Amino acid sequence: MIIFHEYMNPIHGFAMAIIDRTHLTMVLAIQEHGSLTAAADALHITQSALSHALKKLEDQLGVTLFRRESRKLFLTQAGEYLLSVANRLEPQLAYAEDRLKQFARGERGNLRIGMECHPCYQWLIKLVGPYLESWPDVDVDVKQKFQFGGMGALFGYEIDMLVTPDPLYKEELHFEPVFDYEQVLVVNNKHRLAKTDYVNPEALSDEVLITYPVAKERLDIFSLFLMPAGIAPKSHKLIETTDVMLQMVASGRGVTALPRWLVEEYAEKLNIVPVRLGKKGVPKQIFVGVRKDDLAIRYIKDFIEFAKARKKG
Amino acid sequence: MIIFHEYMNPIHGFAMAIIDRTHLTMVLAIQEHGSLTAAADALHITQSALSHALKKLEDQLGVTLFRRESRKLFLTQAGEYLLSVANRLEPQLAYAEDRLKQFARGERGNLRIGMECHPCYQWLIKLVGPYLESWPDVDVDVKQKFQFGGMGALFGYEIDMLVTPDPLYKEELHFEPVFDYEQVLVVNNKHRLAKTDYVNPEALSDEVLITYPVAKERLDIFSLFLMPAGIAPKSHKLIETTDVMLQMVASGRGVTALPRWLVEEYAEKLNIVPVRLGKKGVPKQIFVGVRKDDLAIRYIKDFIEFAKARKKG
DNA sequence: GAAATATAATCATTTATATTCATGTTTTGT
DNA sequence: ACAAAACATGAATATAAATGATTATATTTC
């Protein structure tokens, strides 16, 4: 029996779409189990419900999906086609649902990390490898340039995590220190200051100072050391990368300021020496900040744990 | 807000599948129109309904799909993913639905034609070309061997249409004559019977009769001509194909019986001549039969019209 | 060949779900 | 400050779906 049934003008509901996921699972179950009764069992509904659902679908489409022959059902051409569609699409829906639940559990996602502290990059790189291993379904993305600063990027959902030496305590954000270190002066090992215990700001007025190309306020050597003493270096050179910067220092072209742990690492290969800034040194802290809401996401919370566990002093 | 909501043990309904086609269209509409209100309009539901539906989906999945920022919505990572799924799968569902409706209108399908009449094959072939052109979404399949005969194949849904000279009037079947023709004797043009107006059965008792390899009861030359007169040919050769059969006749190896129109076609190339069987000739009819239910299918009904329009006498 | 069994269809009713309506809250624009 | 626009919420209601009981029919079993 073929009924030409026009499904029209539904006042309620998502308009005229007929085929639904339930219809796919329905056809799959009937085919798999060979009868309405068995299929209904598998779907945890009654035979009656399934019979109704099937009939309704057939009526709405205006096509017979199963030929009823005595008490058995056989797929018609249309049914065969719908089955093939179901076989193809239903697993994809199921898979999508699984993945979304992974998102829900915080097991899948894309962690976009912003860096506001040049030398921290070296530290981060060492962290990322093991982290990616323990979160195989999380991708990490590191960004370093922000139109409205790292905070703006965090607020604007441009990044999900900010690595910075300057936390900003705001209601919506959560900052946590991940490691302490000492900011030191770096000089060539034959430099006149190489053997001293510490340097005073005045000692730098004759030096070429090399830094990353960012505002002076964001450079600790200026904000915490030179500017309080009212001193300026002989000249100021800007260099992008840590490697080149240290090559310059090693070949006696100037001095720079970096974390002590980083200098010690490079000291194995280059002729450079760390020297304390001032009698007491310049202590620093690095923080990671996230949006408070995101602390519920496991892979984000776990990244912070990872970071704290790998302190470098 | 992330809610860890376990959706469990539903007593009713199709178990635990969450994502539905409505959810796909929902996400697509929100994305396309940029706001719940506009999307709801497009879906012909109220803003409230859409808000409820979205919230419910998010609760069930336990994941936020849209970040609400002031009065605007932005996709989260999970939402982005669901959108990509929706973009991929929803059109496929819509397409499947379209095709099923084509089935319903009888515009798409597979027409399996069974042949129980050897020479009809030539006639059918000429029909199929134009038919396929006017029904681009219908495939035609021609079968010639049936374990339980043509009728059995029709009943058993092995074929959808039977071309036969012997209709069987049954409740569930519908037969219709598609063309009338005369069954004639075919002889070499130098044959002693070539110039006669007609032949009597006795005239064949000295001839080699060539036929298709089927039961004698199904051969008109036997059932309608020789057997009623109690005559048998000198010998009986079985040949599968019409072409070879007529080559044999043309080279004087025997005679055969075929539709007049078919003989006239071959007579242009081969030295063969049709001769009337008996004073009145042997009139025949070819029928096509289908299951009565299938008459509602347009491409099937139309095939019969095609056939009748291309009569060959 | 009769009884038992299995399957699907149907009907009336209950239950569940989806949608609306009325309203509240927040944000935006003037 | 105020109106308009956008989303959220709760209660009421409309729609859809599932159930339970029953019927019809075909297969299996004895």
Side-chain angles (χ1 to χ4, degrees), chain A residues 153-172:
Chain A
L154 199 51
F155 269 112
Y157 284 83
E158 208 181 307
I159 57 175
D160 306 304
M161 180 176 284
L162 181 64
V163 180
T164 180
D166 307 305
L168 190 65
Y169 291 101
K170 276 229 174 195
E171 187 55 43
E172 298 93 334

Tab-separated table of all heavy atoms in Angstrom, chain A residues 153-172:
chain	number	residue	atom	x	y	z
A	153	ALA	N	43.554	39.163	24.950
A	153	ALA	CA	43.399	37.915	24.209
A	153	ALA	C	42.680	36.877	25.064
A	153	ALA	O	41.852	36.102	24.573
A	153	ALA	CB	44.758	37.381	23.780
A	154	LEU	N	42.995	36.881	26.364
A	154	LEU	CA	42.366	35.927	27.267
A	154	LEU	C	40.887	36.260	27.433
A	154	LEU	O	40.017	35.381	27.336
A	154	LEU	CB	43.088	35.975	28.622
A	154	LEU	CG	42.922	34.805	29.576
A	154	LEU	CD1	43.217	33.486	28.894
A	154	LEU	CD2	43.844	34.991	30.780
A	155	PHE	N	40.613	37.533	27.620
A	155	PHE	CA	39.215	37.958	27.755
A	155	PHE	C	38.432	37.717	26.468
A	155	PHE	O	37.273	37.337	26.505
A	155	PHE	CB	39.152	39.450	28.108
A	155	PHE	CG	39.147	39.710	29.576
A	155	PHE	CD1	40.217	40.325	30.200
A	155	PHE	CD2	38.046	39.322	30.347
A	155	PHE	CE1	40.199	40.551	31.562
A	155	PHE	CE2	38.035	39.553	31.710
A	155	PHE	CZ	39.118	40.157	32.320
A	156	GLY	N	39.097	37.951	25.355
A	156	GLY	CA	38.394	37.855	24.076
A	156	GLY	C	38.375	36.469	23.492
A	156	GLY	O	38.059	36.293	22.336
A	157	TYR	N	38.743	35.483	24.299
A	157	TYR	CA	38.707	34.084	23.856
A	157	TYR	C	39.605	33.847	22.642
A	157	TYR	O	39.350	32.957	21.843
A	157	TYR	CB	37.272	33.636	23.554
A	157	TYR	CG	36.471	33.363	24.796
A	157	TYR	CD1	35.849	34.398	25.491
A	157	TYR	CD2	36.360	32.063	25.289
A	157	TYR	CE1	35.129	34.161	26.637
A	157	TYR	CE2	35.631	31.802	26.447
A	157	TYR	CZ	35.017	32.862	27.112
A	157	TYR	OH	34.303	32.605	28.261
A	158	GLU	N	40.656	34.698	22.541
A	158	GLU	CA	41.611	34.481	21.467
A	158	GLU	C	42.571	33.386	21.913
A	158	GLU	O	43.081	32.611	21.103
A	158	GLU	CB	42.355	35.795	21.222
A	158	GLU	CG	42.871	35.993	19.831
A	158	GLU	CD	43.610	37.330	19.760
A	158	GLU	OE1	43.025	38.386	20.145
A	158	GLU	OE2	44.771	37.324	19.337
A	159	ILE	N	42.830	33.354	23.206
A	159	ILE	CA	43.628	32.288	23.807
A	159	ILE	C	42.889	31.775	25.039
A	159	ILE	O	41.920	32.386	25.507
A	159	ILE	CB	45.032	32.792	24.242
A	159	ILE	CG1	44.872	33.971	25.212
A	159	ILE	CG2	45.848	33.178	23.034
A	159	ILE	CD1	46.180	34.462	25.775
A	160	ASP	N	43.340	30.612	25.538
A	160	ASP	CA	42.690	30.020	26.709
A	160	ASP	C	43.576	30.094	27.941
A	160	ASP	O	43.123	29.822	29.054
A	160	ASP	CB	42.359	28.555	26.414
A	160	ASP	CG	41.545	28.402	25.146
A	160	ASP	OD1	40.476	29.031	25.065
A	160	ASP	OD2	41.997	27.687	24.225
A	161	MET	N	44.850	30.420	27.722
A	161	MET	CA	45.782	30.435	28.843
A	161	MET	C	46.881	31.440	28.543
A	161	MET	O	47.349	31.524	27.408
A	161	MET	CB	46.391	29.033	29.011
A	161	MET	CG	47.366	28.919	30.145
A	161	MET	SD	47.916	27.209	30.322
A	161	MET	CE	46.511	26.446	31.103
A	162	LEU	N	47.261	32.185	29.565
A	162	LEU	CA	48.293	33.195	29.360
A	162	LEU	C	49.466	32.923	30.293
A	162	LEU	O	49.284	32.750	31.492
A	162	LEU	CB	47.715	34.593	29.644
A	162	LEU	CG	48.680	35.765	29.439
A	162	LEU	CD1	49.102	35.864	27.982
A	162	LEU	CD2	48.039	37.059	29.921
A	163	VAL	N	50.661	32.875	29.706
A	163	VAL	CA	51.873	32.722	30.518
A	163	VAL	C	52.507	34.102	30.623
A	163	VAL	O	52.870	34.688	29.594
A	163	VAL	CB	52.845	31.729	29.860
A	163	VAL	CG1	54.099	31.594	30.716
A	163	VAL	CG2	52.182	30.380	29.676
A	164	THR	N	52.605	34.617	31.844
A	164	THR	CA	53.043	36.003	32.000
A	164	THR	C	53.720	36.220	33.348
A	164	THR	O	53.411	35.526	34.313
A	164	THR	CB	51.836	36.959	31.884
A	164	THR	OG1	52.277	38.299	32.037
A	164	THR	CG2	50.790	36.653	32.945
A	165	PRO	N	54.608	37.190	33.402
A	165	PRO	CA	55.181	37.537	34.712
A	165	PRO	C	54.308	38.546	35.455
A	165	PRO	O	54.549	38.812	36.625
A	165	PRO	CB	56.532	38.147	34.337
A	165	PRO	CG	56.399	38.583	32.932
A	165	PRO	CD	55.271	37.856	32.293
A	166	ASP	N	53.305	39.076	34.768
A	166	ASP	CA	52.490	40.113	35.386
A	166	ASP	C	51.026	39.731	35.479
A	166	ASP	O	50.243	40.021	34.578
A	166	ASP	CB	52.600	41.411	34.562
A	166	ASP	CG	54.042	41.805	34.339
A	166	ASP	OD1	54.778	41.928	35.344
A	166	ASP	OD2	54.432	41.944	33.156
A	167	PRO	N	50.630	39.070	36.536
A	167	PRO	CA	49.229	38.669	36.671
A	167	PRO	C	48.351	39.883	36.924
A	167	PRO	O	48.841	40.933	37.360
A	167	PRO	CB	49.245	37.752	37.871
A	167	PRO	CG	50.386	38.214	38.690
A	167	PRO	CD	51.425	38.709	37.713
A	168	LEU	N	47.086	39.729	36.667
A	168	LEU	CA	46.137	40.818	36.866
A	168	LEU	C	44.960	40.199	37.592
A	168	LEU	O	44.251	39.354	37.019
A	168	LEU	CB	45.723	41.366	35.490
A	168	LEU	CG	44.911	42.653	35.478
A	168	LEU	CD1	45.752	43.802	36.021
A	168	LEU	CD2	44.455	42.965	34.063
A	169	TYR	N	44.770	40.568	38.828
A	169	TYR	CA	43.732	39.874	39.582
A	169	TYR	C	42.368	40.474	39.314
A	169	TYR	O	42.001	41.523	39.814
A	169	TYR	CB	44.100	39.836	41.075
A	169	TYR	CG	45.286	38.916	41.277
A	169	TYR	CD1	46.578	39.409	41.435
A	169	TYR	CD2	45.111	37.528	41.238
A	169	TYR	CE1	47.661	38.562	41.562
A	169	TYR	CE2	46.193	36.672	41.361
A	169	TYR	CZ	47.463	37.198	41.520
A	169	TYR	OH	48.530	36.347	41.633
A	170	LYS	N	41.636	39.764	38.495
A	170	LYS	CA	40.287	40.193	38.105
A	170	LYS	C	39.309	39.100	38.478
A	170	LYS	O	39.665	37.913	38.531
A	170	LYS	CB	40.246	40.421	36.581
A	170	LYS	CG	40.737	41.789	36.160
A	170	LYS	CD	39.711	42.398	35.209
A	170	LYS	CE	40.025	43.834	34.840
A	170	LYS	NZ	38.837	44.472	34.232
A	171	GLU	N	38.083	39.498	38.623
A	171	GLU	CA	37.038	38.562	39.046
A	171	GLU	C	36.972	37.326	38.158
A	171	GLU	O	36.892	36.206	38.644
A	171	GLU	CB	35.688	39.297	39.038
A	171	GLU	CG	34.533	38.498	39.604
A	171	GLU	CD	34.823	37.993	41.016
A	171	GLU	OE1	35.369	38.773	41.842
A	171	GLU	OE2	34.524	36.816	41.282
A	172	GLU	N	37.003	37.522	36.842
A	172	GLU	CA	36.758	36.408	35.919
A	172	GLU	C	37.986	35.558	35.648
A	172	GLU	O	37.887	34.528	34.987
A	172	GLU	CB	36.216	36.936	34.579
A	172	GLU	CG	34.899	37.668	34.672
A	172	GLU	CD	35.090	39.179	34.825
A	172	GLU	OE1	36.167	39.604	35.352
A	172	GLU	OE2	34.194	39.929	34.438
